[in-house]
């Protein structure tokens, strides 16, 4: 590939970043999907119903079940009956889940730092600003 187009180049760099993050998540026993679920729960600041979690993750509700099953088995979340609707299940993050999420967040930061180490701080700031401008049009 002599001169990739911008979308292709962005896709390749994104894949490299994801691969670096995945490599660093393995020792934590987390998948990227599990790490994202923990992030959503932490950012929500409260327990979420399974369907709410699926909506926030932009996945179908049935796809969130194996993610939560694995996180629950590892002790990072627990399920509780929703007192407002006894037919619904709430997902509650545990102290272990908070701790492992912080480690996953650091793993993602380190993957980014390694990937962009070839750039100066000024170039990284410029790239961040440019990507932020592109993303802002969708908010």
């Amino acid at each position: 590939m002599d001169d990739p187009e911008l979308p292709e180049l962005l896709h390749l760099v994104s894949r490299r970043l994801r691969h670096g993050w995945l490599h660093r998540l393995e020792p934590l026993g987390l998948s990227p999907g599990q790490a994202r679920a923990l992030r959503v729960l932490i950012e929500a600041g409260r327990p979420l119903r399974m369907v709410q979690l699926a909506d926030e993750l932009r996945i179908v509700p049935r796809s969130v079940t194996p993610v939560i099953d694995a996180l629950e088995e590892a002790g990072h979340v627990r399920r509780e009956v929703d007192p407002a609707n006894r037919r619904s299940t709430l997902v509650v993050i545990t102290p272990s889940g908070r701790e492992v999420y912080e480690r996953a967040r650091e793993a993602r930061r380190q993957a980014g730092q390694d990937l962009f180490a070839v750039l100066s701080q000024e170039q990284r700031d410029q790239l961040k600003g440019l990507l932020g401008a592109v993303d802002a049009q969708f908010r």
Side-chain angles (χ1 to χ4, degrees):
M1 183 171 6
D2 294 47
D3 189 20
E5 293 184 15
L6 181 59
E8 180 64 20
L9 189 56
L10 186 59
H11 177 74
L12 290 171
V13 170
S14 178
R15 284 184 58 207
R16 290 182 195 286
L17 180 61
R18 184 173 169 85
H19 178 76
W21 187 40
L22 180 63
H23 178 73
R24 285 171 179 79
L25 284 177
E26 284 180 31
L28 303 178
L30 289 178
S31 70
Q34 293 165 350
R36 283 190 303 273
L38 291 173
R39 177 185 47 84
V40 166
L41 288 167
I42 285 174
E43 288 178 357
R46 60 184 170 74
L48 294 177
R49 291 181 181 154
M50 295 279 280
V51 69
Q52 292 171 310
L53 183 57
D55 286 346
E56 290 294 322
L57 292 170
R58 294 181 184 97
I59 60 176
V60 295
R62 71 177 174 272
S63 295
V64 81
T65 301
V67 171
I68 297 308
D69 286 347
L71 288 171
E72 188 174 39
E73 186 175 317
H76 302 318
V77 300
R78 69 178 182 275
R79 289 178 169 104
E80 293 180 358
V81 174
D82 183 350
N85 180 350
R86 307 226 16 104
R87 292 175 292 162
S88 294
T89 300
L90 292 174
V91 180
V92 180
I93 192 163
T94 65
S96 169
R98 289 182 185 284
E99 189 272 331
V100 79
Y101 171 72
E102 287 304 319
R103 292 173 61 200
R105 195 172 110 188
E106 176 59 24
R108 186 175 68 207
R109 190 195 64 73
Q110 186 63 50
Q113 189 174 32
D114 291 351
L115 182 67
F116 295 114
V118 68
L119 301 177
S120 70
Q121 185 60 51
E122 183 179 333
Q123 289 171 320
R124 283 180 284 199
D125 291 343
Q126 185 179 20
L127 180 58
K128 183 178 177 182
L130 293 168
L131 292 174
V134 171
D135 185 55
Q137 70 181 323
F138 298 104
R139 292 184 192 178

